[in-house]
Amino acid sequence: MKKFRKVLDGLTTSSPVNPGGSPACGSAAGTPSTAPTPRELEIQETLMSEHFQICKTVRHGFTYQPTALAFDPVQKILAIGSRSGGVRLLGGPGVDCHCQHESGAAVLQLQFLINEGALVTACADDTLHLWNLRQRRPAILHSLKFNRERITFCHLPFQSKWLYVGTERGNTHIVNIESFILSGYVIMWNKAIELSTKTHPGPVVHLSDSPKDEGKLLIGFESGTIVMWDLRAKRADFRIYYDEAIHSVSWHHEGRQFMCSHSDGSLSMWNMRNTAKPFQVTFPHGKTQRDGRKESCKPILKVEYKTSRNSEAFIVFSGGLSYDKAGRRPTLTIMHGKAITVLEMDYPIVDFIVLCETPYLNEVQEPYAVAVLLEKDFVVVDLTQSNFPIFENPYPMDIHESPVTCTAYFADCPPDIIPVLYSIGAKHKKTGYSHKEWPVSGGTWTVGSQTYPEIIITGHADGSIKFWDATAITLQMLYKLKTSKVFEKPKSGDVGRSAELVEEDPYAIQMISWCPQSRIFCVVGISAHVILYRFSKHDANTSITSLEVRMQCDMEDVISPSDTENTPCFSDPSGHSPQPQPPSPRSNTPDSVRDSIPCLKVKDRMIRMPPGYQAELVVQLLWVDGEPPQQITSLDLNSAYGLLALGNCNGLAVVDYLQKTVLLCMSTVELYGSADPFQRLTRSPRKNRQSTSGLTELSDNQVSLDLERSKSPTSVKGPGRKLSLPTDLKTDLESRENSFSRSRSSSVSSIDRETKEAVTTLQFAESYGRKSDTLPTPCLWVGTSLGLVLIIPMSIPTDEQERQEDPVTVAPTGTVLMLKSSVLRFGFLDCGGAVINSPYEVWRDQHAPDDPDRPRKRKLVNFSPSSSQEASGDGHLAVVCSERQAKVFFMPSQACLYVHNITESSFVLRADVVSVCNSVCLACFCANGHIMTLSLPSLRPLLDVSYLPLTDMRIARTFCFTNGGQALYLCSPTEIQRITYSQEMCDNLQEMLGELFTPIETPEAQNRGFLKGFFGGNAQTFDREELFGEAAAGKASRSLAQHIPGQGGMEGMKAAAGGAVGELARARIALDERGQRLGELEERTALMMASAETFSKHAHELMLKCKDKKWYQF
């Protein structure tokens, strides 16, 4: 506990001076004020640096750019590898884990150690890794880096500790899984093929042991060569030379025949008795042409041949369609007996696995499902039903159904909101799924004790909004809202004015504002429109009110303080916003006459709206003199006031959504009045349009900087500047510094000609609009891109009837506070240091049936800064954060109590006042990837961690903080990464995560009959240790591969060792440690032997030299 005090009298901090010569309102010392100010402010701050730590918690969504798939049939855990080196492990509800290879190399292949709680990954940097899954956060135990050969295929037989590794040179190496050391046993490509063969067989594309005899290894080469290698005899049993390239091989469970898929779209069946030629070749999708030849087909990339006890065998493969069927979607084909079913997929197939009941390859497989990994989706097909329905996916794999353009995160929501949204959303779920349970059900997870309702909202490029239940590290879809339904569909012959503003996706969501208590929801679209929604449990037939706002910034006149000396009281809305005009003809309108029309046309008829969020009001900015409206850069909504405020680089508009009127529509310059601290230079309006390409594709392509800056929101400059991604935003920072330089001395600054002053943040609050105010009133705080803060007081009728009829008075007073750079966020604290929440209206269903006993009245909840104080005029603290600086002001005196320069070399992208550990702090995310927290109100640095080395626009636009020490961002176009900056949550994270491994008895192998055992070879007596161990095979060359011990693997094993698994884990630790010590001992022994040999050699030479000498000759 540390006590901080600031005496208001006598503070001497330099500050800008306004044109009038008197100290600006942002003065730290201020001038003697008539407003009551406490002589001494005492606030006990409890937060310390030890309360903070950055830690990733969980990742949601579909794995971006997937490359590989694996399944453990006993543990029922699924693994997905990605091109960026990520591994996603999925099980039952809550069992969802993301691991990352430090190298970032693409994952080529995954192999589970079935029912062992371990996973082998083969990466594109030719490294094998062994992951321990017996801990909640998997860790790498061993790595093996191949130096001279490239890995192309891996195979690990069930219950074997020897991994077969095929390479690009055609060689096959064998790795001991326990020690992760290469065996001296190598199958060289020139030994595998006949000596007479003149060409290289190509890379190894397949390895598998025969189900009939584990001592036989089937090796498939890319060129079409297949070799059955006898591991004991170290020679080839047979060789097949086929004239078509091989992509995959699959065995019949009896081991008497196998099937190959080829590059010409054919499947070949081979019998072990006669390998001279295939006994069957089929082109499943190739029709015979008139000349008798088969039409050419695409390659069959993978085939799986699975037998069933009660029905025909299943043959499942991907690809193989004929080339002449242009436009066909990617397909998965299921051949069951004579029936052929072709399943069309939405995206290209990356990999698939047939899920079977048994892990033993020499038993009847009994397939029950096919897991199909697509480029942008993951589906599981039910094989037990004749129509092959898909299972309903319990994971949130469709976050990217339409590209995510913005996010919002709400922790500690009202407890009733999640069930309500779920009940509404459940009515619109798709049907036709398999009635069986999701087959990937492994692991265990229990809801932690410290859980509270959390909701994540995502806005998308197609105008849709998704509400997600994010409680307790899970993510489940609650409700989906389509904002495009508010507008008329553009006619085919009318490209529309929105096409000139936005090349595509005219409904894309830019900003979200949600009041969970009143359930009022507001969105900003890219076509300069705002839609306000109310929630109702009942359907309604209603019309949507449309308000049109003409917002322009005429800079042709010199603006001086004398022009707007007397600031009137704006009680008449008609005086400051033109009356809505009828839209002009919409098609073929030349730019020169395109004026006072919106970008989109709102439906002007009665609409039936289903239960859920129902549109009530649309506010649209209009074209002005052939210029499209500028993007909306800021938005705030207050349900208690019934007001909505929006701003862009031209100015500010305030809308009364209860009376459906525009209260205020002014340029930023007009809002200052005589308090404008800058000289405005003459400037002609620009005629170039904003480029908005790139909002929807928040990925590595060119993005309009103007548009991307509008969400942060940060400084908005002249249109046309582009930022090539991915990049560090420091380059942008440098250019901004050069083009946005202005003096911060006492002299008057002059604004750069290319700079427009945008309204970057807005917030309604109970505050003091003037220094002379003694009681707080409803105010609108306005922050601009020049670092200026304006406070606009409002007079709102308190009586409900008067509120519906009497006008709201909005009166800009000229109150100005100043900071460095663009203003990002406001926050308000009482004199005890607690957050003052904005007042709100309690939710009421406007479309519920009337109840005469309970009339529906507005119920307001107000958090006045004076409510917790004995005296009514004690004031409050205002926290203002900009891109460079944070300040804490005392209101109403407007004295600056604390200043902290957050960064000089970068700029803040996102800032929020959040509650952590029963206290409050200011959390900031910078463009250089740093996450910082500052205490409130003293602005002491508590945390500064370089979290992300590279920040691109996708992260910048989607990063957001919330209460409870949590934050999220879009780490890829398809995935949401949640993190915590709370030490308490980091400590409790182990309890919150799911267990990937659960102790399960391995199924017993079926009893083999006498005849099968007699004629089926001696698979049971095959001992790989005798063949591959060091005693028999010797050591592999040290230059071939390098063993790398896992970092923290031992510690992870020790931490995970507990319960039933503990003894086994501890035994493995002991064995590994013993193995390490034995290895060290062996190396020391070898050195001693070499030293002894050298000594013996020198002694022998000395003896020969001296044996013929007499004693007196020495």
Side-chain angles (χ1 to χ4, degrees), residues 267-280:
L267 296 172
S268 61
M269 289 279 287
W270 300 83
N271 197 309
M272 299 293 288
R273 293 179 181 176
N274 180 14
T275 57
K277 64 176 183 177
F279 74 86
Q280 184 182 2

Side-chain angles (χ1 to χ4, degrees), residues 183-202:
S183 165
Y185 193 114
V186 184
I187 305 172
M188 303 300 288
W189 67 270
N190 53 354
K191 301 286 187 184
I193 64 171
E194 290 178 335
L195 294 175
S196 59
T197 307
K198 295 180 180 179
T199 57
H200 190 280

Side-chain angles (χ1 to χ4, degrees), residues 716-769:
V716 178
K717 298 184 178 51
R721 291 180 54 209
K722 298 252 182 189
L723 185 66
S724 181
L725 296 179
T727 179
D728 194 328
L729 298 182
K730 288 181 181 177
T731 54
D732 173 51
L733 175 68
E734 292 167 3
S735 63
R736 288 176 51 191
E737 284 302 310
N738 296 333
S739 66
F740 197 18
S741 58
R742 60 179 184 272
S743 171
R744 278 290 170 184
S745 64
S746 301
S747 62
V748 176
S749 302
S750 179
I751 301 174
D752 190 289
R753 288 176 181 269
E754 287 302 310
T755 303
K756 271 191 171 184
E757 184 173 13
V759 176
T760 52
T761 185
L762 295 163
Q763 186 159 341
F764 290 101
E766 294 282 312
S767 187
Y768 302 85

Side-chain angles (χ1 to χ4, degrees), residues 508-550:
I509 306 299
Q510 277 188 293
M511 267 178 279
I512 293 168
S513 179
W514 186 46
C515 176
Q517 288 81 12
S518 65
R519 302 185 189 175
I520 291 181
F521 184 65
C522 205
V523 297
V524 172
I526 198 172
S527 297
H529 64 269
V530 179
I531 311 173
L532 184 136
Y533 291 88
R534 286 183 184 268
F535 187 84
S536 175
K537 295 181 181 179
H538 307 273
D539 56 2
N541 286 310
T542 182
S543 59
I544 302 168
T545 305
S546 176
L547 287 179
E548 296 177 347
V549 178
R550 184 183 175 94

